[in-house]
Amino acid sequence: MTSQAADQPEQAGSSRRSKLTPEREQEFFDAVLEEIRQCGYEAVTMDGVAARARCSKSTLYRQWRTKPRFVAAALRSSGQTRFAGIDTGTLAGDLREAARTAGAWSAQDTSLLQALGHAVTQDPELARALREALVEPEIVALRAILRRGAERGEVSAENPALEYVPAQFFGVLRVRPLLEGRNADPDYLLRFVEAAVLPALGLE
């Protein structure tokens, strides 16, 4: 049986959406995201998530009805702005700290991004949830770091390289596993910032 067939919603009839505690709901979200990291989105079934979360499949269907809606909710629940709060007092220092921070969580988030790669091109809700949870908050935080640097006069607000810094960070995180079979760890990202990002911004 394919994952698509296994994940057709059960006939729930008039069953109501039961109320979960926030802690129990987060257990379900953690379970489905871990299943995706390990198996890939297409291979994940509600049966597998239910087994990992120690619940019945009907419980998941009562809450979220379909796998895409369940995964989208899980993605939104996982949103953490890792770059928020970085403020060393200098733009170079902030970008170095952002590199260390990104490297610390690259293995977890890169595996999730890769596992969802094809699915998000087919499902607009999943794509939107992925951007809202893992991409847009970090871009906003990085742009705030860059804006502070420009306001302090460390870099010209007209420097064309400013626009591409978020793409550079996300690009390296996604591409290194493909090119070298290894995640972009803190050391690699720090060397990347020193060699490519800071010179483009005219920083030492």
Side-chain angles (χ1 to χ4, degrees), residues 8-9 18-21 35 38 42-43 47 50 61 68 75 77 79 96 102 104 109 111 132 143 165 175-176 181 188:
Q8 293 300 314
S18 58
K19 185 172 180 58
L20 298 174
T21 66
E35 283 282 301
Q38 293 185 6
E42 297 298 336
D47 283 315
Y61 279 124
L75 286 169
S77 81
R96 291 185 182 105
D109 282 1
S111 64
E132 291 173 356
R143 286 178 176 161
V165 172
V175 169
R176 195 191 189 199
Y188 182 87

Side-chain angles (χ1 to χ4, degrees), residues 40 59 159 195:
T59 297
N159 188 316

Side-chain angles (χ1 to χ4, degrees), residues 100-131:
R100 297 185 187 97
T101 300
W105 50 260
S106 66
Q108 182 179 30
D109 282 1
T110 299
S111 64
L112 183 59
L113 289 168
Q114 291 173 332
L116 288 166
H118 176 69
V120 296
T121 67
Q122 306 298 313
D123 190 309
E125 184 178 3
L126 272 182
R128 185 166 54 252
L130 182 64
R131 288 195 303 271

Side-chain angles (χ1 to χ4, degrees), residues 9 19 23 25 42 44 52-53 55 78 83-84 89 105 107 119 122 136 141 156-157 159 162-163 168 183 195 201 203:
K19 185 172 180 58
E23 294 77 15
E25 186 175 63
E42 297 298 336
V44 168
R52 181 182 287 270
C55 70
S78 71
F83 296 148
W105 50 260
Q122 306 298 313
E136 290 175 356
S156 169
N159 188 316
L162 288 170
E163 178 184 355
Q168 287 178 300
N183 288 310
L201 297 176
L203 300 171

Side-chain angles (χ1 to χ4, degrees), residues 95 142 146 160-171 192 197 200-201:
L95 291 173
L142 271 176
L146 296 168
L162 288 170
E163 178 184 355
Y164 301 104
V165 172
Q168 287 178 300
F169 268 86
F170 278 92
F192 165 74
V197 180
L201 297 176

Side-chain angles (χ1 to χ4, degrees), residues 183-199:
N183 288 310
D185 58 22
D187 178 68
Y188 182 87
L189 278 170
L190 186 57
R191 288 187 285 113
F192 165 74
V193 165
E194 297 283 359
V197 180
L198 298 186

